[in-house]
Amino acid sequence: MFQTPHAMLPSMNHDEAARADFCASLRKKFTTDLFPGTRTLYSKALLPAFEAKHGRKPKNAKEAAQLLQSSFYYRGMNAVGRAAQELVWDTVGESVERQLPELVERAKPKPGALGTVRSNPDLPIPRYIDAVDIHVMPGNFHTELGEDDVFAGALYDRGVHVFAFGGLGDQNEALGVAMAAWVRENYPDFKPHRILDVGCGPGFTTVPWKQAFPDAEVHGIDVGGPQVRYAHGRAESLGVGVHFSQQDGTATDFPDGHFDLVTSMLVTHECPVPVIKGLFKEAHRLLARGGITLHDGGTPAHDPFESHMTSWFGNNANEPFSAQFRMLDYKAALVEAGFAEESYFRGEREPVYLKGQLPPITLVGAVKD
Amino acid sequence: MQAETTTRFQPRRRTAKGQARPRYLQPDDIDKVMLMLVNLLSEVSALRDRLDTAEAVVELGGQPTSAAIEAYELTPERHLARESNRQAMLARVLRPITEERDATAGDEA
């Protein structure tokens, strides 16, 4: 419904808010009606017709996709989904851009801050980030529009709330809260001194860790300067002390064994496999003995049709690495990074606002011995 | 509906003589037309919300000036009413897409 205002959240004038509300409604229509409606059409009409003609089910995702493409419902649904994807960023972006000078000032570190922020203008931006605007979000997470820029952070914080039609909570906090709750439930005696959130974006996945473990020193890193600067201003205005820095999660400047928990959320599915392996390797270096690493992992779909359905963002919203992410052998990747095979674990969390639309999200991790 | 007129003038021609109208769009352009249609729908929706805000301002005894419209604080009830209006509008506009599915879902509807 309404996103909790904080000092960094761009305000919206009447018509900006109305357009954003439309985007949220459109995304809701797509996510809860048009997209799942594909399953109805497929099972009741397309599949029976295919079986009548060929005497079998489609044998792979490509054949399932071809069958779907024969339907105007499917083609129209995709066009609407793509339109929504583009419109969200454009609508929110216009509003953020109008207020950018003020937002940049507000994000700057102030005396008496609870946390810290470090930018690194010399950080090389990896090609996989520079070459593809993830989610069709122009400029991606890292583009700098000027000195001390926070545009991409504000765009993503506002944009996600519209995109998920409020489904990640009033502060987009639901993912972080779910992940922290999962750790508490599965490791009740775990008392981390330091926590690292890799690919922290605007910090809505990071702040919940500090709230769940108030005694821990919590860090968030992101390759995007606009993300960490925005995240700092945002966390300060929410009264939560977190340390943000602009770094690449595969090669940080923290010392060995510095953390008890190295985690990421909604990051791994945007990374090529070698980068995922690099994140695991760095996590192993950064963890103290008994420390935990925890990330989103993928699960291959078992049915050609569902495999195609779960590829929607890969095919329509610039998530080129998500297919490989689903196929990766996570146990092998973590072992390769230095973790003991028996310390590997898998878990599940609800797909939050996509509950009922998508299967639960797989979590993967390991404990350093 | 043509109004009944008793006039000595012929009706004016509505199309121009000369070169045929050029063909502008190509088949591949239709995707962009669809994107523009969705963008336009956003503008229609915003226009409707602005009218709804003007009505709310008047109901509260104010004048629907630009300043009063900007200053109006949307209530949760009105927000929900707008959301259901938007969903109804989307259902009407997108019906040509959804009818294929809805025809198969007869026993569930």
Side-chain angles (χ1 to χ4, degrees):
Chain A
M1 153 105 198
F2 296 112
Q3 198 167 357
T4 307
H6 49 74
M8 284 313 301
L9 193 69
S11 62
M12 290 190 280
N13 64 32
H14 182 281
D15 289 9
E16 286 170 346
R19 290 189 196 100
D21 283 348
F22 171 79
C23 287
S25 298
L26 182 66
R27 282 275 314 137
K28 186 177 179 181
K29 174 74 176 173
F30 177 76
T31 304
T32 64
D33 183 50
L34 297 179
F35 183 79
T38 310
R39 292 193 173 93
T40 308
L41 181 71
Y42 186 82
S43 62
K44 288 185 174 287
L46 300 175
L47 185 61
F50 184 93
E51 285 173 321
K53 191 173 168 188
H54 301 281
R56 60 173 178 83
K57 286 183 158 60
K59 58 177 184 278
N60 52 36
K62 190 180 171 191
E63 228 176 37
Q66 282 171 340
L67 175 56
L68 283 163
Q69 282 291 357
S70 70
S71 146
F72 173 64
Y73 176 87
Y74 178 76
R75 299 194 302 271
M77 179 276 291
N78 277 341
V80 171
R82 171 70 185 214
Q85 192 79 22
E86 293 187 22
L87 192 59
V88 165
W89 308 123
D90 203 51
T91 299
V92 174
E94 185 178 316
S95 173
V96 174
E97 193 169 29
R98 177 175 64 79
Q99 301 165 71
L100 191 55
E102 302 153 56
L103 292 171
V104 165
E105 282 311 308
R106 266 186 256 155
K108 286 181 179 169
K110 307 286 187 293
L114 301 164
T116 58
V117 60
R118 288 190 287 143
S119 292
N120 178 7
D122 302 322
L123 183 76
I125 301 296
R127 191 173 169 277
Y128 77 95
I129 287 173
D130 202 34
V132 179
D133 285 338
I134 295 291
H135 305 141
V136 208
M137 185 174 88
N140 211 1
F141 291 86
H142 65 290
T143 298
E144 305 265 1
L145 299 181
E147 203 174 339
D148 300 323
D149 179 35
V150 297
F151 176 80
L155 176 65
Y156 196 62
D157 193 20
R158 241 314 168 215
V160 163
H161 194 264
V162 173
F163 181 84
F165 38 95
L168 293 183
D170 296 345
Q171 296 177 10
N172 290 329
E173 75 286 355
L175 288 172
V177 168
M179 203 85 135
W182 190 92
V183 169
R184 277 203 172 290
E185 192 179 325
N186 288 275
Y187 297 90
D189 302 328
F190 184 59
K191 290 192 174 50
H193 299 293
R194 289 200 192 90
I195 296 173
L196 175 63
D197 182 31
V198 178
C200 64
F204 54 69
T205 57
T206 324
V207 164
W209 286 110
K210 180 67 182 176
Q211 291 165 325
F213 296 100
D215 298 335
E217 183 184 294
V218 176
H219 291 254
I221 61 171
D222 200 284
V223 287
Q227 301 298 333
V228 295
R229 288 187 289 269
Y230 178 86
H232 170 73
R234 180 183 182 277
E236 292 301 319
S237 71
L238 293 171
V240 182
V242 175
H243 304 284
F244 291 101
S245 52
Q246 184 181 3
Q247 301 199 54
D248 185 324
T250 61
T252 70
D253 63 9
F254 299 113
D256 293 7
H258 199 58
F259 291 98
D260 302 301
L261 177 66
V262 176
T263 185
S264 75
M265 253 167 286
L266 295 184
V267 171
T268 42
H269 74 280
E270 312 293 10
C271 298
V273 164
V275 173
I276 298 176
K277 289 181 173 180
L279 293 175
F280 290 173
K281 206 168 174 170
E282 181 69 352
H284 186 264
R285 181 184 77 80
L286 290 174
L287 284 174
R289 289 186 62 179
I292 298 171
T293 195
L294 177 68
H295 306 267
D296 297 336
T299 316
H302 293 297
D303 156 81
F305 169 69
E306 283 303 326
S307 173
H308 183 71
M309 290 291 276
T310 51
S311 308
W312 196 88
F313 283 92
N315 296 331
N316 299 282
N318 267 4
E319 292 197 337
F321 310 113
S322 55
Q324 288 297 310
F325 152 87
R326 273 196 298 277
M327 303 307 291
L328 184 63
D329 180 343
Y330 284 90
K331 190 178 195 172
L334 283 158
V335 169
E336 194 183 322
F339 293 94
E341 195 166 329
E342 56 275 16
S343 81
Y344 169 77
F345 61 81
R346 280 176 84 92
E348 278 185 350
R349 65 166 171 80
E350 287 298 343
V352 196
Y353 77 101
L354 293 169
K355 200 172 173 175
Q357 314 302 325
L358 282 182
I361 305 294
T362 306
L363 300 177
V364 296
V367 182
K368 184 167 175 177
D369 45 30
Chain B
M1 282 287 288
Q2 283 283 7
E4 285 286 322
T5 51
T6 51
T7 168
R8 60 195 176 85
F9 299 109
Q10 288 182 22
R12 77 187 194 285
R13 238 182 335 103
R14 306 284 298 270
T15 51
K17 280 186 192 173
Q19 284 182 312
R21 179 185 293 135
R23 292 288 302 273
Y24 295 103
L25 301 184
Q26 296 171 5
D28 284 354
D29 299 342
I30 197 161
D31 279 9
K32 286 176 182 159
V33 174
M34 182 78 163
L35 293 174
M36 286 164 66
L37 194 70
V38 173
N39 295 355
L40 183 63
L41 200 55
S42 173
E43 299 300 326
V44 171
S45 182
L47 191 61
R48 192 184 171 118
D49 281 7
R50 197 168 179 97
L51 187 59
D52 186 62
T53 299
E55 288 167 7
V57 168
V58 171
E59 280 165 26
L60 292 167
Q63 289 292 322
T65 59
S66 299
I69 284 172
E70 280 306 330
Y72 174 72
E73 287 214 14
L74 185 59
T75 62
E77 298 74 28
R78 209 152 187 130
H79 179 79
L80 286 174
R82 287 181 186 185
E83 167 61 15
S84 69
N85 280 335
R86 279 191 294 268
Q87 290 301 336
M89 176 184 76
L90 284 166
R92 290 191 296 268
V93 172
L94 299 175
R95 189 190 49 77
I97 290 175
T98 52
E99 63 191 1
E100 182 186 352
R101 174 200 64 190
D102 296 341
T104 69
D107 45 346
E108 287 179 334

CSV table of all heavy atoms in Angstrom, one decimal, chain A residues 218-258:
chain,number,residue,atom,x,y,z
A,218,VAL,N,27.0,-4.9,11.3
A,218,VAL,CA,26.4,-5.3,10.0
A,218,VAL,C,27.0,-4.5,8.9
A,218,VAL,O,27.0,-3.3,9.0
A,218,VAL,CB,24.9,-5.3,10.1
A,218,VAL,CG1,24.3,-5.6,8.7
A,218,VAL,CG2,24.3,-6.2,11.1
A,219,HIS,N,27.4,-5.2,7.9
A,219,HIS,CA,28.0,-4.5,6.7
A,219,HIS,C,27.2,-4.8,5.5
A,219,HIS,O,26.7,-6.0,5.3
A,219,HIS,CB,29.5,-4.9,6.5
A,219,HIS,CG,30.4,-4.5,7.5
A,219,HIS,ND1,31.3,-3.5,7.3
A,219,HIS,CD2,30.6,-4.9,8.8
A,219,HIS,CE1,32.0,-3.3,8.4
A,219,HIS,NE2,31.6,-4.1,9.3
A,220,GLY,N,27.1,-3.9,4.6
A,220,GLY,CA,26.5,-4.1,3.3
A,220,GLY,C,27.4,-3.6,2.2
A,220,GLY,O,28.0,-2.5,2.3
A,221,ILE,N,27.6,-4.5,1.1
A,221,ILE,CA,28.5,-4.0,0.0
A,221,ILE,C,27.8,-4.1,-1.3
A,221,ILE,O,26.9,-5.0,-1.5
A,221,ILE,CB,29.8,-4.8,0.0
A,221,ILE,CG1,29.6,-6.3,-0.3
A,221,ILE,CG2,30.7,-4.5,1.2
A,221,ILE,CD1,30.9,-7.1,-0.6
A,222,ASP,N,28.1,-3.3,-2.2
A,222,ASP,CA,27.5,-3.3,-3.5
A,222,ASP,C,28.5,-2.7,-4.5
A,222,ASP,O,29.2,-1.7,-4.1
A,222,ASP,CB,26.2,-2.5,-3.5
A,222,ASP,CG,25.3,-2.9,-4.7
A,222,ASP,OD1,25.6,-2.5,-5.9
A,222,ASP,OD2,24.3,-3.7,-4.5
A,223,VAL,N,28.5,-3.1,-5.8
A,223,VAL,CA,29.4,-2.5,-6.7
A,223,VAL,C,28.9,-1.1,-7.1
A,223,VAL,O,29.6,-0.3,-7.7
A,223,VAL,CB,29.6,-3.3,-8.0
A,223,VAL,CG1,30.4,-4.5,-7.8
A,223,VAL,CG2,28.2,-3.7,-8.6
A,224,GLY,N,27.6,-0.8,-6.8
A,224,GLY,CA,27.1,0.4,-7.2
A,224,GLY,C,27.3,1.5,-6.2
A,224,GLY,O,26.8,1.4,-5.0
A,225,GLY,N,28.0,2.6,-6.5
A,225,GLY,CA,28.2,3.7,-5.6
A,225,GLY,C,26.9,4.3,-5.2
A,225,GLY,O,26.6,4.6,-4.0
A,226,PRO,N,26.0,4.5,-6.2
A,226,PRO,CA,24.7,5.1,-5.9
A,226,PRO,C,23.9,4.3,-4.9
A,226,PRO,O,23.0,4.8,-4.1
A,226,PRO,CB,23.9,5.2,-7.2
A,226,PRO,CG,25.0,5.3,-8.2
A,226,PRO,CD,26.1,4.4,-7.7
A,227,GLN,N,24.1,2.9,-4.9
A,227,GLN,CA,23.4,2.1,-4.0
A,227,GLN,C,23.9,2.3,-2.5
A,227,GLN,O,23.1,2.5,-1.6
A,227,GLN,CB,23.6,0.6,-4.3
A,227,GLN,CG,23.1,0.2,-5.7
A,227,GLN,CD,21.6,0.4,-6.0
A,227,GLN,OE1,20.8,0.4,-5.0
A,227,GLN,NE2,21.2,0.7,-7.2
A,228,VAL,N,25.2,2.2,-2.3
A,228,VAL,CA,25.7,2.3,-0.9
A,228,VAL,C,25.5,3.7,-0.4
A,228,VAL,O,25.2,3.8,0.8
A,228,VAL,CB,27.2,1.8,-0.8
A,228,VAL,CG1,27.3,0.4,-1.2
A,228,VAL,CG2,28.1,2.7,-1.7
A,229,ARG,N,25.6,4.7,-1.2
A,229,ARG,CA,25.4,6.1,-0.7
A,229,ARG,C,23.9,6.3,-0.3
A,229,ARG,O,23.6,6.8,0.8
A,229,ARG,CB,25.8,7.1,-1.7
A,229,ARG,CG,27.3,7.2,-1.8
A,229,ARG,CD,27.8,8.4,-2.7
A,229,ARG,NE,27.4,8.2,-4.1
A,229,ARG,CZ,28.3,7.6,-4.9
A,229,ARG,NH1,29.5,7.2,-4.6
A,229,ARG,NH2,27.9,7.4,-6.2
A,230,TYR,N,23.0,5.8,-1.1
A,230,TYR,CA,21.6,5.8,-0.8
A,230,TYR,C,21.3,5.0,0.4
A,230,TYR,O,20.6,5.4,1.3
A,230,TYR,CB,20.8,5.4,-2.0
A,230,TYR,CG,19.3,5.4,-1.7
A,230,TYR,CD1,18.5,6.5,-1.9
A,230,TYR,CD2,18.6,4.2,-1.3
A,230,TYR,CE1,17.1,6.5,-1.7
A,230,TYR,CE2,17.3,4.2,-1.0
A,230,TYR,CZ,16.5,5.3,-1.2
A,230,TYR,OH,15.2,5.3,-0.9
A,231,ALA,N,21.9,3.8,0.4
A,231,ALA,CA,21.6,2.8,1.5
A,231,ALA,C,22.0,3.4,2.9
A,231,ALA,O,21.3,3.3,3.9
A,231,ALA,CB,22.3,1.5,1.3
A,232,HIS,N,23.1,4.2,2.9
A,232,HIS,CA,23.6,4.8,4.1
A,232,HIS,C,22.6,5.8,4.6
A,232,HIS,O,22.1,5.8,5.7
A,232,HIS,CB,25.0,5.5,3.9
A,232,HIS,CG,25.4,6.3,5.0
A,232,HIS,ND1,25.8,5.8,6.2
A,232,HIS,CD2,25.4,7.7,5.2
A,232,HIS,CE1,26.1,6.8,7.0
A,232,HIS,NE2,25.9,8.0,6.4
A,233,GLY,N,22.2,6.7,3.7
A,233,GLY,CA,21.2,7.7,4.1
A,233,GLY,C,19.9,7.1,4.5
A,233,GLY,O,19.3,7.6,5.5
A,234,ARG,N,19.5,6.0,3.9
A,234,ARG,CA,18.2,5.4,4.2
A,234,ARG,C,18.3,4.7,5.6
A,234,ARG,O,17.4,4.9,6.4
A,234,ARG,CB,18.0,4.3,3.1
A,234,ARG,CG,16.7,3.5,3.3
A,234,ARG,CD,16.6,2.4,2.3
A,234,ARG,NE,15.3,1.7,2.4
A,234,ARG,CZ,15.2,0.6,3.3
A,234,ARG,NH1,16.2,0.3,4.0
A,234,ARG,NH2,14.0,0.0,3.3
A,235,ALA,N,19.4,4.0,5.8
A,235,ALA,CA,19.5,3.3,7.1
A,235,ALA,C,19.6,4.3,8.3
A,235,ALA,O,19.0,4.1,9.3
A,235,ALA,CB,20.8,2.4,7.1
A,236,GLU,N,20.3,5.4,8.0
A,236,GLU,CA,20.4,6.4,9.1
A,236,GLU,C,19.1,7.0,9.4
A,236,GLU,O,18.7,7.2,10.5
A,236,GLU,CB,21.4,7.6,8.6
A,236,GLU,CG,22.9,7.1,8.6
A,236,GLU,CD,23.4,6.6,9.9
A,236,GLU,OE1,23.1,7.2,10.9
A,236,GLU,OE2,24.2,5.6,9.8
A,237,SER,N,18.3,7.3,8.3
A,237,SER,CA,17.0,7.9,8.6
A,237,SER,C,16.0,6.9,9.2
A,237,SER,O,15.1,7.3,9.9
A,237,SER,CB,16.4,8.4,7.3
A,237,SER,OG,16.0,7.4,6.4
A,238,LEU,N,16.3,5.6,9.1
A,238,LEU,CA,15.5,4.6,9.8
A,238,LEU,C,16.0,4.3,11.2
A,238,LEU,O,15.5,3.5,11.9
A,238,LEU,CB,15.4,3.3,9.0
A,238,LEU,CG,14.7,3.4,7.6
A,238,LEU,CD1,14.9,2.1,6.8
A,238,LEU,CD2,13.2,3.6,7.8
A,239,GLY,N,17.1,5.0,11.5
A,239,GLY,CA,17.7,4.8,12.8
A,239,GLY,C,18.4,3.5,13.1
A,239,GLY,O,18.5,3.0,14.2
A,240,VAL,N,19.0,2.9,12.0
A,240,VAL,CA,19.7,1.7,12.1
A,240,VAL,C,21.1,1.8,11.6
A,240,VAL,O,21.4,2.3,10.5
A,240,VAL,CB,19.0,0.6,11.2
A,240,VAL,CG1,19.7,-0.8,11.3
A,240,VAL,CG2,17.5,0.5,11.6
A,241,GLY,N,22.1,1.4,12.4
A,241,GLY,CA,23.5,1.6,12.1
A,241,GLY,C,24.1,0.5,11.3
A,241,GLY,O,24.2,-0.6,11.8
A,242,VAL,N,24.4,0.7,10.1
A,242,VAL,CA,25.0,-0.3,9.2
A,242,VAL,C,26.2,0.3,8.5
A,242,VAL,O,26.2,1.6,8.3
A,242,VAL,CB,23.9,-0.8,8.1
A,242,VAL,CG1,24.6,-1.8,7.1
A,242,VAL,CG2,22.7,-1.4,8.8
A,243,HIS,N,27.2,-0.5,8.2
A,243,HIS,CA,28.4,0.0,7.5
A,243,HIS,C,28.3,-0.4,6.0
A,243,HIS,O,28.4,-1.6,5.7
A,243,HIS,CB,29.6,-0.5,8.2
A,243,HIS,CG,29.7,-0.2,9.6
A,243,HIS,ND1,30.0,1.1,10.0
A,243,HIS,CD2,29.4,-0.9,10.7
A,243,HIS,CE1,29.9,1.1,11.4
A,243,HIS,NE2,29.5,-0.1,11.8
A,244,PHE,N,28.2,0.6,5.1
A,244,PHE,CA,28.1,0.3,3.7
A,244,PHE,C,29.4,0.7,3.0
A,244,PHE,O,30.0,1.7,3.4
A,244,PHE,CB,26.9,1.1,3.1
A,244,PHE,CG,25.6,0.6,3.5
A,244,PHE,CD1,24.9,1.3,4.5
A,244,PHE,CD2,25.0,-0.5,3.0
A,244,PHE,CE1,23.6,0.9,4.9
A,244,PHE,CE2,23.7,-1.0,3.4
A,244,PHE,CZ,23.0,-0.3,4.4
A,245,SER,N,29.7,-0.1,2.0
A,245,SER,CA,30.9,0.2,1.2
A,245,SER,C,30.8,-0.3,-0.2
A,245,SER,O,30.1,-1.3,-0.4
A,245,SER,CB,32.2,-0.3,1.9
A,245,SER,OG,32.1,-1.7,2.1
A,246,GLN,N,31.4,0.4,-1.1
A,246,GLN,CA,31.3,0.1,-2.6
A,246,GLN,C,32.4,-0.9,-2.9
A,246,GLN,O,33.5,-0.5,-3.0
A,246,GLN,CB,31.4,1.4,-3.4
A,246,GLN,CG,31.2,1.1,-4.9
A,246,GLN,CD,31.4,2.4,-5.7
A,246,GLN,OE1,31.7,3.5,-5.2
A,246,GLN,NE2,31.2,2.3,-7.0
A,247,GLN,N,32.0,-2.2,-3.0
A,247,GLN,CA,33.0,-3.2,-3.2
A,247,GLN,C,32.4,-4.3,-4.1
A,247,GLN,O,31.1,-4.5,-4.2
A,247,GLN,CB,33.4,-3.9,-1.9
A,247,GLN,CG,34.0,-2.9,-0.9
A,247,GLN,CD,34.8,-3.7,0.2
A,247,GLN,OE1,35.7,-4.5,-0.2
A,247,GLN,NE2,34.4,-3.5,1.4
A,248,ASP,N,33.2,-5.1,-4.7
A,248,ASP,CA,32.8,-6.3,-5.4
A,248,ASP,C,32.9,-7.5,-4.5
A,248,ASP,O,33.9,-7.7,-3.9
A,248,ASP,CB,33.8,-6.5,-6.6
A,248,ASP,CG,33.4,-7.6,-7.6
A,248,ASP,OD1,32.9,-8.6,-7.1
A,248,ASP,OD2,33.6,-7.4,-8.8
A,249,GLY,N,31.8,-8.2,-4.4
A,249,GLY,CA,31.7,-9.3,-3.5
A,249,GLY,C,32.6,-10.5,-3.7
A,249,GLY,O,32.8,-11.4,-2.9
A,250,THR,N,33.3,-10.5,-4.9
A,250,THR,CA,34.2,-11.6,-5.2
A,250,THR,C,35.6,-11.2,-4.7
A,250,THR,O,36.5,-12.0,-4.7
A,250,THR,CB,34.3,-11.9,-6.7
A,250,THR,OG1,34.7,-10.7,-7.4
A,250,THR,CG2,32.9,-12.3,-7.2
A,251,ALA,N,35.8,-9.9,-4.4
A,251,ALA,CA,37.2,-9.5,-4.0
A,251,ALA,C,37.0,-8.3,-3.1
A,251,ALA,O,37.2,-7.1,-3.5
A,251,ALA,CB,38.0,-9.1,-5.2
A,252,THR,N,36.8,-8.5,-1.8
A,252,THR,CA,36.5,-7.4,-0.8
A,252,THR,C,37.9,-7.0,-0.1
A,252,THR,O,38.8,-7.7,-0.2
A,252,THR,CB,35.5,-7.8,0.2
A,252,THR,OG1,36.1,-8.7,1.1
A,252,THR,CG2,34.2,-8.4,-0.4
A,253,ASP,N,37.8,-5.9,0.6
A,253,ASP,CA,39.0,-5.5,1.3
A,253,ASP,C,39.0,-5.8,2.8
A,253,ASP,O,39.8,-5.4,3.6
A,253,ASP,CB,39.3,-4.0,1.1
A,253,ASP,CG,38.2,-3.1,1.7
A,253,ASP,OD1,37.3,-3.6,2.4
A,253,ASP,OD2,38.2,-1.9,1.4
A,254,PHE,N,38.0,-6.7,3.2
A,254,PHE,CA,38.0,-7.1,4.6
A,254,PHE,C,39.0,-8.2,4.9
A,254,PHE,O,39.3,-9.0,4.0
A,254,PHE,CB,36.6,-7.7,4.9
A,254,PHE,CG,35.4,-6.7,4.7
A,254,PHE,CD1,34.5,-6.9,3.7
A,254,PHE,CD2,35.3,-5.6,5.5
A,254,PHE,CE1,33.4,-6.0,3.5
A,254,PHE,CE2,34.3,-4.7,5.3
A,254,PHE,CZ,33.3,-4.9,4.3
A,255,PRO,N,39.5,-8.2,6.1
A,255,PRO,CA,40.5,-9.3,6.4
A,255,PRO,C,39.9,-10.7,6.5
A,255,PRO,O,38.7,-10.8,6.6
A,255,PRO,CB,41.0,-8.9,7.8
A,255,PRO,CG,40.1,-7.8,8.3
A,255,PRO,CD,39.3,-7.3,7.2
A,256,ASP,N,40.8,-11.7,6.4
A,256,ASP,CA,40.3,-13.1,6.5
A,256,ASP,C,39.6,-13.3,7.8
A,256,ASP,O,40.0,-12.7,8.9
A,256,ASP,CB,41.6,-14.0,6.5
A,256,ASP,CG,42.3,-14.0,5.2
A,256,ASP,OD1,42.0,-13.2,4.3
A,256,ASP,OD2,43.3,-14.8,5.1
A,257,GLY,N,38.6,-14.2,7.8
A,257,GLY,CA,37.9,-14.6,9.0
A,257,GLY,C,37.2,-13.5,9.8
A,257,GLY,O,36.9,-13.6,11.0
A,258,HIS,N,36.8,-12.4,9.0
A,258,HIS,CA,36.3,-11.2,9.7
A,258,HIS,C,34.8,-11.3,10.0
A,258,HIS,O,34.3,-10.6,10.9
A,258,HIS,CB,36.4,-10.0,8.7
A,258,HIS,CG,36.3,-8.7,9.3
A,258,HIS,ND1,37.2,-8.2,10.3
A,258,HIS,CD2,35.5,-7.6,9.0
A,258,HIS,CE1,36.9,-7.0,10.6
A,258,HIS,NE2,35.9,-6.6,9.9
